[in-house]
Amino acid sequence: MQEKYFPEEIEERQQERWADAHTFEVEPDPARKKFYCLEMLPYPSGRIHMGHVRNYSIGDALSTFKRMQGFNVLHPMGWDAFGMPAENAAIKNNSRPDIWTFENIAAMRTQLQRMGFSYDWRREIASCTPEYYRWNQWFFIQMWKKGLIYRKNATVNWCIQCNTSLANEQAEGGFCWRHEETPVELRQLEQWFIRVTNYADELLDDLDTLEGGWPERVLAMQRNWIGRSRGAEIDFKVDGSDKHIRVFTTRIDTIYGASSVILAPDHELIEELIASGRASEELKTFVEVQKAISPEDRIAEGKEKLGVNTGMFAVNPFNGAKLPIWTANFVLTGYGTGAIMAVPAHDERDFEFSKKFGLPIPRVIVPANFDGDPNEPLAEAFTSKDESCIVVNSGEWSGKTVPQAIAAMTAKAGKEGFGTAQTNFKIRDWGVSRQRAWGTPIPFVHCGKCGIVPVSEEQLPVVLPVDMNFNTQGAPLAEHAPFVNTTCPQCGGVAKRDTDTMDTFVDSSWYYFRYVDPKNEKLPFAPEIAAYWTPVDQYIGGIEHAVLHLIYTRLWTKIMRDLGLITFGEPVKKLLTQGMVCLASYRCEQHDWLYPYEVIDGKCSFCKRDVVVGRIEKMSKSKKNTVDPDEMIKIYGADTVRLFMLFAAPPEKDLEWSEAGAEGSSRFLNRVWRIVYKWHDKFGGA
Ligand code: ANZ
Ligand code: ZN
Ligand code: ZN
């Protein structure tokens, strides 16, 4: 043993020993308890960052701990390797996305290996390889057979920078998730969808079983995202016509308080009115303006409520009252039926709207033991749905409690055929197609005779060509003739391949099932092997994946269960969302905000003034406040960096990177080394 601590030397020597001894390579062993420790796989951007280092240091410590406890620990790593950056790099460098990606993977693998993480590297996967994505295609066809895949013409969010459609989740707030300054446009495109809504109830109800194992915050975000809402659909007859307007309401008990019916600007009745030439100029302009705004934006926080009276009337099926039909920006097309009955006395949005446009605000709900006058004007909407609230001014229903009225009135609507109970979800079906090239080709062909036909399973994978011209408008694949031109699997005639690719969230929906059996050529994985290793015991990753990835992977798991591959419906027993790695930025009186490298020994490098600590921000390339893990490893060694990551903050909390802290960890390890050195002959060490 050497007297001095030389991290680089001992770490590399030890890492070689582990490799030679296959220390972290594991196989199923029914005699032993397993532990599946999973960390979110990185996108191969080229270099690992401190966020990765933290994520993987936490997982590695847990894996080691579980091994010491005697568990058979599965601890794998791979690459989420499809996506836009590779394509953009190919465009920029006039090169190929596969070359760029595999170079990055090689560089990052070296970095992770230098960190000494205890992965079973034999199980490494990269989602951009045909060996992997053929199973995306296989799943896609299985889902199609089960009726879980369909096509429809849909308004898609379109980013002109990405030159592709975006999922709703990628376009939240009206801006592209990658290009925070690029407003999302709306376009009409034929798209592929996965029927998430078939699983919506289960996705919601099963969250209860994750209580305790998953952070409460993530459960709440998912519940909110799925957004189940129980209510009724009710038909209002259009006065003087045989048409009906179907509204969705969660508060049928308030129907006597309705003072207007409001349609979304893109409601078909409005379109008909405009087509018939009977719409006012004001209405036409309003509709035109609103249609150019995304539904999310129309209802954005603080948006003024706007609307126009159509001049038509609707008849309340309960009391025959004639209500004016309006259109307004706050009624969404994509939710419910795209039409509402406005009850201003008991709904805040309706209150604001009706107040502004002078519509009546009749009160029909009062609290229990109410002794005031229900006809007194309200200063604000009374929105309580407390079980003890009482219905008033509502004919034969007056005197009932809210739940009683809801049940009885829904039953009446059903019996008389003008309505029905209805549950709605906020969660939408998953638009999975992208007009991009660096993704899994959708395994379907378009045949003039047979229509849209799946590729036969023996012909999978449909291999993605890599020699494309990426600099195209629209789908680069569509301009690659050798790919496009094919024969129909059904009739053998000429046909064209579908040129869309799958959303990369497909790749990450099931990758950790592939780790258990990464070389399988017959199935995505053998059910009996998955039965040993899965579900995942501990998953670790960033909170940014709370809704997207973690809902899709829960969905995929339920579908895999229904395909008979596994027997459970929840893939992850415990979830840890680690905090961010942050860096304090500094200010100089004269030179304002400084980058970390502009601060030397606590002084501004330009004017030598003392600097003050300013804000503490997440490390990110765009803020130019990153610290390079490699550099730190070079100075202190991997163990110091890892120790600091574990020691500087609890795993769920944000961590502030500090060089002084890293030095402290280094001194600690030096001390440990010296103590061991002092006594090493007593341990029989060399
Ligand atoms: C009458 C009513 C009275 C309502 C009342 C609420 C309170 P959640 O819970 O989010 O599902 N609504 C229905 N479809 C809509 C759409 N496309 N755009 C905007 N608003 C819509 O909300 C359901 C309620 O939101 C429905 O119940 C409807 O207003 C409105 F005292 O109907 B309610
Ligand atoms: Zn974009
Ligand atoms: Zn055919």
Side-chain angles (χ1 to χ4, degrees):
M1 190 178 177
Q2 283 180 325
E3 183 175 353
K4 280 197 75 181
Y5 175 54
F6 291 118
E8 191 157 352
E9 200 181 295
I10 58 170
E11 284 169 10
E12 275 176 15
R13 194 174 58 227
Q14 191 57 34
Q15 285 160 16
E16 263 167 43
R17 276 190 204 152
W18 286 331
D20 291 344
H22 308 283
T23 309
F24 307 119
E25 298 175 7
V26 290
E27 293 302 330
D29 178 356
R32 287 170 70 203
K33 269 202 173 171
K34 67 92 183 182
F35 189 88
Y36 190 169
C37 182
L38 179 69
E39 297 129 37
M40 289 183 183
L41 84 180
Y43 178 80
S45 58
R47 306 196 60 73
I48 59 168
H49 56 66
M50 282 295 183
H52 295 130
V53 172
R54 186 173 189 203
N55 188 166
Y56 305 154
S57 295
I58 295 168
D60 205 59
L62 181 66
S63 296
T64 304
F65 177 65
K66 285 292 170 184
R67 265 181 222 112
M68 293 172 89
Q69 283 187 323
F71 286 88
N72 192 16
V73 176
L74 177 59
H75 190 213
M77 185 42 70
W79 312 97
D80 187 13
F82 270 139
M84 289 298 300
E87 221 167 305
N88 291 340
I91 293 171
K92 202 164 131 211
N93 311 327
N94 209 357
S95 121
R96 286 168 28 184
D98 57 328
I99 296 174
W100 184 86
T101 304
F102 286 114
E103 278 174 6
N104 287 350
I105 288 177
M108 290 171 76
R109 187 194 299 114
T110 304
Q111 286 186 296
L112 291 185
Q113 288 177 337
R114 181 63 193 81
M115 289 297 301
F117 294 132
S118 61
Y119 297 125
D120 182 349
W121 281 105
R122 300 168 312 156
R123 298 172 180 275
E124 175 184 355
I125 55 152
S127 59
C128 63
T129 59
E131 296 75 37
Y132 184 81
Y133 68 67
R134 74 175 282 188
W135 300 111
N136 288 344
Q137 297 172 336
W138 183 86
F139 277 123
F140 201 82
I141 293 172
Q142 308 312 310
M143 290 184 201
W144 180 78
K145 286 189 195 157
K146 278 191 163 286
L148 291 171
I149 300 273
Y150 67 95
R151 276 162 72 78
K152 79 171 174 200
N153 209 328
T155 308
V156 296
N157 305 299
W158 189 275
C159 170
I160 51 164
Q161 296 267 354
C162 297
N163 194 21
T164 188
S165 57
L166 305 172
N168 283 340
E169 298 87 329
Q170 296 167 335
E172 256 187 292
F175 289 88
C176 171
W177 67 319
R178 283 182 211 285
H179 304 101
E180 288 172 14
E181 265 115 61
T182 308
V184 171
E185 293 177 9
L186 303 181
R187 292 198 186 175
Q188 287 291 322
L189 270 187
E190 182 96 332
Q191 297 282 295
W192 294 91
F193 285 85
I194 297 182
R195 264 185 230 284
V196 178
T197 42
N198 278 22
Y199 287 88
D201 269 314
E202 207 189 335
L203 282 168
L204 187 71
D205 293 336
D206 285 358
L207 289 173
D208 296 346
T209 68
L210 301 176
E211 211 73 62
W214 283 39
E216 203 37 62
R217 180 172 161 211
V218 174
L219 296 178
M221 284 166 86
Q222 293 216 352
R223 287 192 179 108
N224 191 30
W225 192 266
I226 297 165
R228 180 163 58 200
S229 165
R230 297 201 158 102
E233 286 186 1
I234 303 293
D235 288 330
F236 283 65
K237 200 171 134 30
V238 178
D239 195 34
S241 128
D242 52 6
K243 293 202 161 61
H244 288 90
I245 296 168
R246 182 151 264 235
V247 308
F248 172 68
T249 177
T250 48
R251 295 294 307 275
I252 191 176
D253 56 307
T254 66
I255 198 164
Y256 282 72
S259 63
S260 63
V261 165
I262 310 181
L263 311 178
D266 6 32
H267 194 277
E268 58 175 22
L269 206 67
I270 303 269
E271 315 239 294
E272 281 175 29
L273 189 68
I274 291 173
S276 76
R278 284 179 291 123
S280 68
E281 283 309 311
E282 189 195 9
L283 180 64
K284 280 194 278 195
T285 323
F286 177 77
V287 169
E288 210 169 294
V289 170
Q290 292 305 320
K291 277 173 133 177
I293 306 174
S294 80
E296 293 76 27
D297 272 1
R298 289 182 209 159
I299 56 157
E301 189 76 23
K303 258 264 152 79
E304 196 189 353
K305 305 234 170 342
L306 304 171
V308 175
N309 191 339
T310 67
M312 300 186 286
F313 287 89
V315 181
N316 185 331
F318 273 85
N319 61 2
K322 278 191 193 164
L323 309 176
I325 302 174
W326 285 64
T327 177
N329 60 345
F330 72 98
V331 179
L332 287 178
T333 322
Y335 187 66
T337 60
I340 66 164
M341 60 172 195
V343 183
H346 305 293
D347 180 276
E348 273 161 17
R349 293 163 298 180
D350 299 348
F351 187 89
E352 190 187 328
F353 184 81
S354 304
K355 194 110 200 160
K356 177 171 173 187
F357 291 105
L359 290 156
I361 307 181
R363 180 169 197 173
V364 291
I365 306 288
V366 295
N369 309 319
F370 181 72
D371 59 5
D373 175 4
N375 300 322
E376 192 110 314
L378 280 163
E380 54 180 49
F382 176 77
T383 57
S384 170
K385 324 179 239 196
D386 195 281
E387 299 190 341
S388 62
C389 284
I390 305 292
V391 176
V392 297
N393 289 340
S394 300
E396 62 189 288
W397 316 96
S398 299
K400 288 198 187 298
T401 64
V402 164
Q404 285 166 347
I406 288 177
M409 294 169 89
T410 307
K412 175 186 163 91
K415 199 156 65 211
E416 298 186 10
F418 63 81
T420 164
Q422 171 71 29
T423 300
N424 275 331
F425 292 91
K426 292 224 168 65
I427 197 168
R428 306 272 76 138
D429 283 342
W430 178 9
V432 279
S433 40
R434 297 289 178 276
Q435 289 68 50
R436 292 318 305 167
W438 191 232
T440 305
I442 294 204
F444 275 76
V445 304
H446 300 256
C447 168
K449 261 200 238 136
C450 316
I452 296 172
V453 184
V455 171
S456 73
E457 283 169 42
E458 304 78 65
Q459 282 177 13
L460 296 182
V462 174
V463 176
L464 179 72
V466 285
D467 56 340
M468 274 180 281
N469 173 16
F470 290 96
N471 233 337
T472 55
Q473 276 299 319
L477 266 179
E479 296 179 22
H480 193 279
F483 175 82
V484 175
N485 298 319
T486 185
T487 51
C488 171
Q490 209 159 294
C491 71
V494 292
K496 289 196 182 309
R497 285 194 194 284
D498 197 279
T499 55
D500 281 354
T501 55
M502 297 181 199
D503 182 1
T504 55
F505 277 111
V506 167
D507 306 319
S508 52
S509 288
W510 68 280
Y511 70 99
Y512 48 93
F513 284 89
R514 185 69 179 169
Y515 287 143
V516 308
D517 191 13
K519 305 261 154 38
N520 197 322
E521 290 180 359
K522 303 221 160 57
L523 282 172
F525 52 86
E528 59 281 11
I529 299 179
Y532 177 76
W533 289 117
T534 59
V536 169
D537 295 279
Q538 177 73 60
Y539 198 13
I540 307 166
I543 186 75
E544 66 274 18
H545 295 295
V547 278
L548 298 174
H549 164 55
L550 288 171
I551 284 192
Y552 292 143
T553 196
R554 293 181 57 232
L555 168 78
W556 210 276
T557 302
K558 292 172 196 307
I559 294 173
M560 292 196 296
R561 176 203 59 201
D562 293 348
L563 290 170
L565 288 164
I566 48 178
T567 54
F568 52 85
E570 284 297 334
V572 171
K573 287 191 193 161
K574 282 187 151 188
L575 175 70
L576 172 77
T577 48
Q578 99 264 3
M580 294 183 299
V581 181
C582 302
L583 192 70
S585 44
Y586 300 92
R587 262 183 65 115
C588 160
E589 270 172 38
Q590 196 185 339
H591 293 95
D592 208 33
W593 295 102
L594 303 172
Y595 292 130
Y597 57 84
E598 293 170 337
V599 178
I600 296 170
D601 295 331
K603 297 191 188 313
C604 170
S605 62
F606 304 113
C607 67
K608 311 288 180 255
R609 278 192 180 77
D610 286 338
V611 293
V612 287
V613 175
R615 47 196 167 206
I616 297 182
E617 292 178 310
K618 180 184 175 177
M619 272 191 195
S620 82
K621 252 199 216 153
S622 61
K623 294 204 182 85
K624 296 205 175 80
N625 68 345
T626 56
V627 175
D628 182 18
D630 269 1
E631 219 170 280
M632 293 300 118
I633 293 169
K634 227 173 253 151
I635 301 172
Y636 301 109
D639 285 338
T640 291
V641 176
R642 294 172 50 162
L643 182 67
F644 175 75
M645 283 294 180
L646 296 174
F647 149 90
E652 319 75 42
K653 292 272 155 52
D654 287 354
L655 172 154
E656 189 195 330
W657 174 266
S658 99
E659 192 99 19
E663 265 167 34
S665 297
S666 174
R667 278 198 303 275
F668 174 81
L669 288 178
N670 266 289
R671 208 173 315 136
V672 173
W673 184 269
R674 283 200 306 274
I675 292 168
V676 174
Y677 178 76
K678 193 169 163 194
W679 304 101
H680 76 282
D681 50 342
K682 299 275 187 298
F683 306 129

